[in-house]
Coordinates of all heavy atoms in Angstrom, one line a residue:
L1 N 120.8 140.5 61.1 CA 119.5 140.1 60.7 C 118.6 139.8 61.9 O 119.0 139.1 62.8 CB 119.5 138.9 59.7 CG 119.9 139.2 58.3 CD1 121.4 139.2 58.2 CD2 119.3 138.3 57.3
D2 N 117.4 140.3 61.8 CA 116.5 140.2 63.0 C 115.1 140.0 62.5 O 114.8 140.1 61.3 CB 116.6 141.5 63.8 CG 116.0 141.3 65.2 OD1 115.5 140.2 65.5 OD2 116.1 142.2 66.0
A3 N 114.2 139.6 63.4 CA 112.8 139.5 63.1 C 112.0 139.4 64.5 O 112.6 139.1 65.5 CB 112.5 138.2 62.3
D4 N 110.7 139.7 64.4 CA 109.9 139.6 65.6 C 109.9 138.2 66.2 O 110.0 137.2 65.5 CB 108.5 140.0 65.3 CG 108.3 141.5 65.1 OD1 109.3 142.2 65.4 OD2 107.2 141.9 64.7
D5 N 109.8 138.1 67.5 CA 109.9 136.8 68.2 C 108.7 135.9 67.7 O 109.0 134.7 67.5 CB 109.7 137.0 69.7 CG 111.0 137.6 70.3 OD1 111.9 137.9 69.6 OD2 111.0 137.8 71.6
A6 N 107.5 136.4 67.5 CA 106.4 135.6 67.1 C 106.7 135.0 65.7 O 106.3 133.8 65.4 CB 105.1 136.4 67.0
I7 N 107.3 135.8 64.8 CA 107.6 135.3 63.5 C 108.7 134.2 63.5 O 108.7 133.2 62.8 CB 108.1 136.4 62.5 CG1 106.9 137.4 62.3 CG2 108.6 135.9 61.2 CD1 105.7 136.8 61.6
L8 N 109.7 134.4 64.4 CA 110.8 133.4 64.5 C 110.2 132.1 65.0 O 110.5 131.0 64.6 CB 111.9 133.9 65.5 CG 112.6 135.1 65.0 CD1 113.6 135.6 66.1 CD2 113.4 134.8 63.8
I9 N 109.3 132.2 66.0 CA 108.7 131.0 66.6 C 107.9 130.3 65.5 O 107.9 129.1 65.3 CB 107.7 131.3 67.7 CG1 108.6 131.8 68.9 CG2 106.9 130.1 68.2 CD1 107.8 132.3 70.1
Q10 N 107.1 131.1 64.7 CA 106.4 130.5 63.6 C 107.2 129.8 62.5 O 106.9 128.7 62.1 CB 105.6 131.6 62.9 CG 104.8 131.1 61.7 CD 104.0 132.3 61.0 OE1 103.7 133.3 61.6 NE2 103.8 132.2 59.7
R11 N 108.4 130.4 62.2 CA 109.3 129.8 61.2 C 109.9 128.5 61.7 O 110.0 127.5 61.0 CB 110.4 130.8 60.9 CG 109.9 132.0 60.1 CD 111.0 133.0 59.9 NE 110.5 134.2 59.1 CZ 111.2 135.3 59.0 NH1 112.4 135.4 59.4 NH2 110.7 136.3 58.3
F12 N 110.2 128.4 63.0 CA 110.8 127.2 63.6 C 109.7 126.1 63.6 O 109.9 124.9 63.4 CB 111.3 127.4 65.0 CG 112.8 127.9 64.9 CD1 113.1 129.2 65.1 CD2 113.8 127.0 64.7 CE1 114.4 129.7 65.1 CE2 115.1 127.4 64.7 CZ 115.4 128.8 64.9
S13 N 108.4 126.5 63.9 CA 107.3 125.6 63.9 C 107.0 125.0 62.5 O 106.8 123.8 62.4 CB 106.1 126.2 64.5 OG 106.3 126.7 65.8
E14 N 107.1 125.9 61.5 CA 106.8 125.4 60.2 C 107.9 124.5 59.6 O 107.6 123.5 58.9 CB 106.7 126.6 59.2 CG 105.4 127.5 59.5 CD 105.4 128.8 58.7 OE1 106.4 129.1 58.1 OE2 104.3 129.4 58.7
T15 N 109.2 124.8 59.9 CA 110.3 124.0 59.4 C 110.6 122.8 60.3 O 111.3 121.9 59.9 CB 111.5 124.8 59.2 OG1 111.9 125.4 60.5 CG2 111.3 126.0 58.3
R16 N 110.1 122.8 61.5 CA 110.3 121.8 62.5 C 111.8 121.7 62.8 O 112.3 120.6 63.2 CB 109.7 120.5 62.1 CG 108.2 120.5 62.0 CD 107.6 119.1 61.8 NE 106.2 119.2 61.6 CZ 105.3 119.3 62.6 NH1 105.8 119.3 63.9 NH2 104.0 119.3 62.4
R17 N 112.6 122.8 62.6 CA 114.0 122.8 63.0 C 114.1 123.1 64.5 O 113.3 123.7 65.1 CB 114.7 123.8 62.2 CG 114.8 123.5 60.7 CD 115.6 124.6 60.0 NE 116.8 124.9 60.6 CZ 117.3 126.1 60.7 NH1 116.6 127.2 60.3 NH2 118.5 126.3 61.3
R18 N 115.2 122.6 65.0 CA 115.5 122.9 66.4 C 116.3 124.2 66.6 O 117.3 124.4 65.9 CB 116.3 121.7 67.0 CG 116.7 121.9 68.5 CD 117.6 120.8 69.0 NE 118.1 121.0 70.3 CZ 119.2 121.7 70.5 NH1 119.9 122.2 69.5 NH2 119.7 121.9 71.8
H19 N 115.9 125.0 67.5 CA 116.7 126.2 67.8 C 118.0 125.8 68.4 O 118.0 125.0 69.3 CB 115.9 127.2 68.7 CG 116.5 128.5 68.8 ND1 117.6 128.8 69.6 CD2 116.2 129.7 68.2 CE1 117.9 130.1 69.6 NE2 117.1 130.7 68.7
P20 N 119.1 126.4 68.1 CA 120.4 126.0 68.6 C 120.6 126.1 70.1 O 121.4 125.5 70.7 CB 121.5 126.8 67.9 CG 120.7 128.0 67.3 CD 119.3 127.5 67.0
L21 N 119.7 127.0 70.7 CA 119.8 127.2 72.2 C 118.8 126.5 73.0 O 118.7 126.7 74.2 CB 119.8 128.7 72.5 CG 121.0 129.5 71.9 CD1 120.9 131.0 72.4 CD2 122.3 128.9 72.2
T22 N 117.9 125.8 72.4 CA 116.9 125.0 73.1 C 117.5 123.8 73.7 O 118.3 123.1 73.1 CB 115.7 124.6 72.2 OG1 116.2 123.9 71.1 CG2 114.9 125.8 71.8
D23 N 117.0 123.5 74.9 CA 117.5 122.3 75.6 C 116.4 121.9 76.7 O 115.3 122.4 76.7 CB 118.9 122.4 76.3 CG 118.9 123.7 77.1 OD1 117.9 124.1 77.7 OD2 120.1 124.3 77.3
E24 N 116.8 121.0 77.6 CA 115.8 120.6 78.7 C 115.4 121.8 79.5 O 114.4 121.8 80.2 CB 116.4 119.5 79.5 CG 116.7 118.2 78.8 CD 118.0 118.2 78.0 OE1 118.7 119.3 78.0 OE2 118.3 117.2 77.3
E25 N 116.2 122.9 79.6 CA 115.9 124.0 80.5 C 115.3 125.2 79.8 O 114.9 126.1 80.4 CB 117.2 124.4 81.2 CG 117.8 123.3 82.1 CD 119.1 123.7 82.7 OE1 119.5 124.9 82.5 OE2 119.7 122.9 83.5
H26 N 115.4 125.2 78.4 CA 114.9 126.4 77.7 C 113.9 126.0 76.6 O 114.2 125.2 75.8 CB 116.1 127.1 77.1 CG 117.1 127.7 78.0 ND1 118.2 126.9 78.4 CD2 117.2 128.9 78.7 CE1 118.9 127.7 79.3 NE2 118.3 128.8 79.5
T27 N 112.8 126.6 76.7 CA 111.8 126.5 75.7 C 112.2 127.3 74.5 O 113.1 128.1 74.6 CB 110.4 126.9 76.2 OG1 110.4 128.3 76.5 CG2 110.0 126.1 77.4
L28 N 111.4 127.2 73.4 CA 111.8 128.0 72.2 C 111.8 129.5 72.4 O 112.7 130.2 72.0 CB 110.8 127.6 71.0 CG 111.1 128.4 69.7 CD1 112.5 128.2 69.2 CD2 110.1 127.9 68.7
D29 N 110.7 130.0 73.0 CA 110.7 131.4 73.3 C 111.7 131.9 74.2 O 112.3 133.0 74.1 CB 109.3 131.9 73.8 CG 108.8 131.1 75.0 OD1 109.4 130.0 75.3 OD2 107.9 131.5 75.7
E30 N 112.1 131.1 75.2 CA 113.2 131.4 76.2 C 114.5 131.4 75.4 O 115.4 132.2 75.7 CB 113.2 130.4 77.3 CG 112.0 130.6 78.3 CD 111.9 129.5 79.3 OE1 112.6 128.4 79.1 OE2 111.3 129.7 80.3
A31 N 114.7 130.5 74.5 CA 115.9 130.4 73.7 C 116.1 131.6 72.9 O 117.2 132.1 72.7 CB 115.9 129.1 72.9
I32 N 115.0 132.1 72.3 CA 115.1 133.3 71.4 C 115.5 134.5 72.2 O 116.3 135.3 71.8 CB 113.8 133.5 70.7 CG1 113.5 132.4 69.6 CG2 113.7 134.8 70.0 CD1 112.2 132.4 69.0
A33 N 114.9 134.6 73.4 CA 115.2 135.7 74.3 C 116.6 135.7 74.7 O 117.3 136.7 74.8 CB 114.3 135.7 75.5
L34 N 117.1 134.5 75.1 CA 118.5 134.3 75.5 C 119.5 134.7 74.3 O 120.5 135.4 74.5 CB 118.8 132.9 75.9 CG 120.2 132.5 76.3 CD1 120.7 133.4 77.4 CD2 120.3 131.1 76.7
E35 N 119.1 134.2 73.1 CA 119.9 134.5 71.9 C 120.0 136.0 71.6 O 121.0 136.6 71.3 CB 119.3 133.8 70.7 CG 120.1 134.0 69.4 CD 119.5 133.2 68.3 OE1 118.3 133.1 68.2 OE2 120.3 132.7 67.4
R36 N 118.8 136.7 71.8 CA 118.8 138.1 71.5 C 119.7 138.9 72.5 O 120.4 139.8 72.1 CB 117.3 138.6 71.6 CG 117.1 140.0 71.1 CD 115.6 140.4 71.2 NE 114.8 139.6 70.4 CZ 114.7 139.8 69.0 NH1 115.3 140.8 68.5 NH2 113.9 139.0 68.3
E37 N 119.6 138.4 73.8 CA 120.5 139.1 74.8 C 122.0 138.8 74.5 O 122.8 139.7 74.6 CB 120.1 138.5 76.1 CG 121.0 139.1 77.3 CD 120.6 138.5 78.6 OE1 119.7 137.7 78.7 OE2 121.3 138.9 79.6
T38 N 122.3 137.6 74.1 CA 123.7 137.2 73.8 C 124.3 138.0 72.6 O 125.5 138.3 72.6 CB 123.8 135.7 73.5 OG1 123.2 135.0 74.6 CG2 125.2 135.3 73.3
L39 N 123.4 138.3 71.6 CA 123.9 138.9 70.4 C 123.8 140.5 70.5 O 124.1 141.1 69.5 CB 123.1 138.5 69.2 CG 123.3 137.0 68.8 CD1 122.3 136.6 67.7 CD2 124.7 136.7 68.4
T40 N 123.5 141.0 71.6 CA 123.3 142.5 71.8 C 124.6 143.2 71.4 O 124.6 144.2 70.7 CB 122.9 142.8 73.2 OG1 121.6 142.3 73.5 CG2 122.9 144.3 73.4
P41 N 125.8 142.7 71.8 CA 127.0 143.5 71.4 C 127.2 143.5 69.9 O 127.6 144.6 69.4 CB 128.2 142.6 72.1 CG 127.5 142.0 73.2 CD 126.1 141.6 72.7
L42 N 126.9 142.4 69.2 CA 127.0 142.4 67.7 C 125.9 143.3 67.1 O 126.2 144.0 66.1 CB 126.9 141.0 67.2 CG 128.2 140.2 67.4 CD1 127.9 138.8 66.8 CD2 129.4 140.8 66.7
N43 N 124.8 143.3 67.7 CA 123.7 144.2 67.1 C 124.1 145.7 67.2 O 123.9 146.4 66.3 CB 122.4 143.9 68.0 CG 121.2 144.6 67.3 OD1 121.3 145.2 66.3 ND2 120.1 144.6 68.0
E44 N 124.8 146.0 68.3 CA 125.2 147.4 68.5 C 126.4 147.8 67.6 O 126.6 148.9 67.2 CB 125.6 147.6 70.0 CG 124.4 147.5 70.9 CD 124.8 147.6 72.4 OE1 126.0 147.5 72.6 OE2 123.9 147.7 73.3

């Protein structure tokens, strides 16, 4: 399952949930980009 980055950011903002990869070093958009890269093998 996938969605545009802007929509994912909007959904996290609306629910105020924390992205599992966000931390002191990664903002939400950086966490989404990292997650997309990490899941590339499963996407393929």
Side-chain angles (χ1 to χ4, degrees):
L1 284 83
D2 198 356
D4 285 350
D5 289 1
I7 295 298
L8 295 175
I9 292 173
Q10 178 183 333
R11 290 174 182 172
F12 275 100
S13 299
E14 291 174 348
T15 60
R16 298 190 180 279
R17 291 179 52 219
R18 175 184 173 276
H19 190 284
L21 298 186
T22 53
D23 53 29
E24 294 80 2
E25 299 179 356
H26 297 90
T27 61
L28 178 55
D29 54 343
E30 291 173 340
I32 292 174
L34 176 60
E35 182 180 37
R36 192 177 295 281
E37 179 182 357
T38 303
L39 293 176
T40 296
L42 283 179
N43 189 7
E44 294 175 348

